Amino acid sequence: MHPQMVLFEEDFQAVQAICERLTREANGRCVFLIDKNGQLIAAAGDTEHLDTTSLASLTAGNIAATGGLAKLLGEKEFSILFHEGEKDNLHITIVGGRVILVVIFDQRSSLGLVRLRVKKASQELAQIFDALANKMAQPGVSSPFAEITDDDIDNLFSD
């Protein structure tokens, strides 16, 4: 299990903009950003007909399983995965060791174009998540949820 990450509004907006631009520039159907626990962080493109919760969980499981294979072979990890289907393809990339970038694309794009655009987007996303990690590591900065207690939550949902 990986530690929970808190994404601030300005960081989320920057991440969402990168996902939207990647969808356009890679000519992809949709793009997802998922944390390694399987939580969906951001999505862009044609996501209406997809079960995004299941996709996020299964992608994280796929990364975990592939990580096990990598260790068996003496590798740290396999940072890029590609699955080719009849109609759709999946390009999965681990970004900065923290999050998973998924691009779903069809015959309107190519693996080369997706890899090129993902490389640039991954660098930008890694910078955002590095800055976020540095922000959270500063003394006096803690999760905005740290002060919320179980009693606060119980009171919120009680009559």
Side-chain angles (χ1 to χ4, degrees):
M1 198 76 167
H2 302 278
Q4 282 290 36
M5 172 180 9
V6 176
L7 196 62
F8 296 94
E9 179 66 23
E10 64 271 10
D11 300 315
F12 172 75
Q13 293 301 329
V15 165
Q16 184 67 37
I18 292 169
C19 290
E20 290 171 3
R21 190 180 71 235
L22 177 58
T23 304
R24 283 190 314 273
E25 291 181 352
N27 210 17
R29 279 190 49 213
C30 50
V31 170
F32 296 92
L33 191 66
I34 303 163
D35 75 7
K36 282 192 163 183
N37 292 326
Q39 297 292 315
L40 182 66
I41 297 171
D46 182 19
T47 61
E48 292 177 17
H49 306 295
L50 290 173
D51 178 355
T52 57
T53 303
S54 295
L55 186 129
S57 297
L58 291 169
T59 300
N62 189 354
I63 290 293
T66 305
L69 288 171
K71 286 183 182 170
L72 286 174
L73 297 174
E75 293 286 335
K76 182 180 172 194
E77 67 183 5
F78 294 123
S79 59
I80 297 174
L81 304 174
F82 174 67
H83 299 283
E84 184 174 2
E86 287 184 26
K87 294 184 289 185
D88 293 319
N89 307 303
L90 278 176
H91 186 279
I92 303 171
T93 307
I94 299 173
V95 177
R98 295 185 176 98
V99 294
I100 304 163
L101 181 62
V102 180
V103 178
I104 299 176
F105 64 100
D106 57 22
Q107 76 281 354
R108 294 175 293 159
S109 188
S110 69
L111 179 58
L113 178 63
V114 170
R115 289 185 73 160
L116 179 70
R117 301 301 188 197
V118 162
K119 186 175 181 179
K120 180 182 175 192
S122 294
Q123 292 168 345
E124 294 171 354
L125 289 168
Q127 289 175 351
I128 291 171
F129 285 100
D130 286 347
L132 186 61
N134 290 337
K135 187 187 310 182
M136 294 304 294
Q138 291 178 358
V141 176
S142 62
S143 167
F145 306 113
E147 62 194 37
I148 298 174
T149 65
D150 288 342
D151 289 338
D152 293 333
I153 294 171
D154 289 342
N155 290 335
L156 182 65
F157 293 105
S158 66
D159 293 329

